[in-house]
Amino acid sequence: MELFGLRDRVVFVTGGNRGIGAAIVEVLKRLGAKVAYTYRSAPGPEAVLTLNADVTDPASMEEAVNRIESEVGPIFGVVLNAGITKDNLFPNISVEDWYAVIDTNLNGIYNTLRPIVPLLYARESGSLVFISSVVGEQGNIGQANYAASKSAVIGLAKTLGLEGARYGVRSNVVAPGFTSTDMVKAIPEKVQERILQKIPLRRFAEPEEIAWSVAFLMSPTMAGYITGDVLSVNGGQYT
Ligand code: NDP
């Protein structure tokens, strides 16, 4: 499928081993991209290069980027997908859980992009897609740490959209609604039912539905004039 203009482009996905990340890897592969991804626990789908790296460790991310550049080729696209939740009402969030969520979901993105952005600017070509969340747009009871990290991602992506424009580097956000992955399976069933009632389409998203939106924003042909934008993919829950 040449429509997307991603054939043979090198794309790096963080947390590509399972859930939404794995679906993104599969869709980008179908579009002919050379996909490299990192995982923390265990590898997932086949890809040109899979690397064990923790987004909270700057040295590990720098090494991953160096390996992709030398073994696969110059990175064009980056999908900032790795993320965690540690839910609780604000008064009950432990110091550890607050820092863990911010460290993975926000600092992890900084650690990933720090070695890449200068390369993209120098080559005057690139496309960043950040995975935020409807929770970052709307807030959510029991997810203050997660919501804060996911709102921060939007501010970062918009700023890189402004800064990167003169270097031909676009920066956009996909904000998924609740999606059928391990992250949502971890939510108690009663709470899942309450969430479903607030979703006009009356179902959770499938990971592939998020992945196609990522591919759209990544694509220089489909989204070449879109930067600093947020695509909300949430079944009508929040617009
Ligand atoms: P999963 O829990 O299924 O997968 C999380 C992914 O992040 C895994 O690949 C995991 O790797 C990786 N990861 C977590 N911590 C680290 C780390 N320190 N270093 C490297 N990789 C790490 O989540 P989803 O697929 O559901 O979520 C993917 C993204 O989408 C996240 O950013 C999430 O916040 C966001 N999102 C999810 C929604 C949902 O409803 N599912 C809704 C909105 C946004 P490993 O397997 O090795 O631990």
Side-chain angles (χ1 to χ4, degrees):
M1 256 191 268
E2 288 296 330
L3 268 179
F4 281 73
L6 292 172
R7 183 159 300 282
D8 291 331
R9 302 248 194 196
V10 178
V11 179
F12 173 25
V13 181
T14 64
N17 55 321
R18 64 190 171 98
I20 292 172
I24 293 169
V25 168
E26 294 293 5
V27 162
L28 292 170
K29 275 163 51 182
R30 278 178 66 185
L31 297 173
K34 290 182 184 163
V35 184
Y37 73 80
T38 51
Y39 61 91
R40 186 184 45 167
S41 58
E46 262 185 46
V48 174
L49 187 63
T50 60
L51 296 159
N52 184 225
D54 189 323
V55 293
T56 64
D57 175 8
S60 144
M61 293 317 288
E62 199 166 346
E63 197 192 321
V65 169
N66 289 340
R67 281 199 54 194
I68 296 167
E69 288 270 326
S70 63
E71 293 175 36
V72 186
I75 295 170
F76 166 77
V78 188
V79 184
L80 292 312
N81 166 75
I84 58 167
T85 49
K86 292 201 179 281
D87 299 346
N88 227 322
L89 294 174
F90 185 82
N92 302 329
I93 299 177
S94 67
V95 172
E96 291 75 21
D97 284 356
W98 180 272
Y99 277 90
V101 169
I102 301 296
D103 208 26
T104 304
N105 298 4
L106 180 59
N107 298 338
I109 289 178
Y110 172 73
N111 295 334
T112 308
L113 290 182
R114 197 180 56 90
I116 298 176
V117 166
L119 301 174
L120 302 186
Y121 286 3
R123 297 197 281 254
E124 300 196 336
S125 164
S127 181
L128 311 175
V129 181
F130 296 74
I131 307 299
S132 176
S133 167
V134 66
V135 169
E137 298 177 290
Q138 188 180 32
N140 194 27
I141 290 172
Q143 292 199 303
N145 47 2
Y146 183 73
S149 72
K150 291 297 182 180
S151 301
V153 164
I154 294 174
L156 173 59
K158 282 180 176 285
T159 300
L160 290 181
L162 293 170
E163 290 185 5
R166 76 189 65 177
Y167 302 106
V169 175
R170 294 180 302 105
S171 169
N172 291 293
V173 178
V174 171
F178 291 84
T179 307
S180 300
T181 68
D182 296 340
M183 191 175 270
V184 161
K185 285 175 203 148
I187 301 173
E189 229 164 82
K190 273 204 169 146
V191 180
Q192 287 193 31
E193 279 162 25
R194 274 210 303 273
I195 295 169
L196 272 174
Q197 283 163 16
K198 291 186 193 150
I199 302 173
L201 287 182
R202 286 286 184 267
R203 63 177 179 85
F204 297 135
E206 291 304 320
E208 295 71 25
E209 293 175 307
I210 308 304
W212 282 108
S213 295
V214 171
F216 168 75
L217 287 175
M218 173 77 57
S219 162
T221 52
M222 304 251 169
Y225 200 55
I226 302 177
T227 196
D229 214 347
V230 181
L231 180 52
S232 302
V233 189
N234 57 36
Q237 183 184 348
Y238 181 81
T239 51

